[in-house]
């Protein structure tokens, strides 16, 4: 599991809320830091990488939170 400076708990949030939360909080970490988005909505698996491509950040992949929920990792690049 990749260490994240910030982890957003977006469990039970439906699309587009996990992406809205990511957009609101990515600026809370320094450039080069990792933000983790824990989201149970299946759309997040496609939305997070697409958001990264559109906004100039790096999608680092997916792992699992401690409870087994999907966790999407984003490195802030801008």
């Amino acid at each position: 599991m990749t260490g994240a400076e910030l982890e957003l708990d977006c469990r039970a949030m439906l699309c587009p809320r996990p992406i809205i939360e990511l957009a609101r909080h990515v600026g809370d970490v320094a450039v080069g830091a990792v933000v983790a988005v824990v989201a149970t909505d299946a759309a997040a698996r496609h939305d997070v990488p697409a958001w990264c491509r559109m906004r100039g950040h790096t999608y680092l992949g997916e792992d699992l939170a401690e409870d087994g929920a999907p966790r999407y990792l984003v490195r802030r690049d801008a």
Side-chain angles (χ1 to χ4, degrees):
M1 182 166 14
T2 302
E5 186 167 318
L6 176 64
E7 183 169 291
L8 303 175
D9 183 0
C10 298
R11 292 171 182 87
M13 290 183 187
L14 298 178
C15 179
R17 284 290 310 280
I19 298 304
I20 291 169
E21 291 301 308
L22 175 57
R24 284 181 57 208
H25 293 286
V26 72
D28 294 347
V29 301
V31 172
V34 175
V35 176
V37 180
V38 181
T40 52
D41 182 33
R45 180 168 277 128
H46 304 285
D47 291 348
V48 173
W51 182 86
C52 289
R53 286 190 302 274
M54 291 187 302
R55 299 294 181 203
H57 301 293
T58 301
Y59 177 64
L60 299 175
E62 176 183 343
D63 65 9
L64 297 175
E66 288 182 14
D67 65 354
R71 189 176 111 134
Y72 307 97
L73 303 167
V74 175
R75 184 180 66 224
R76 180 180 175 200
D77 288 334

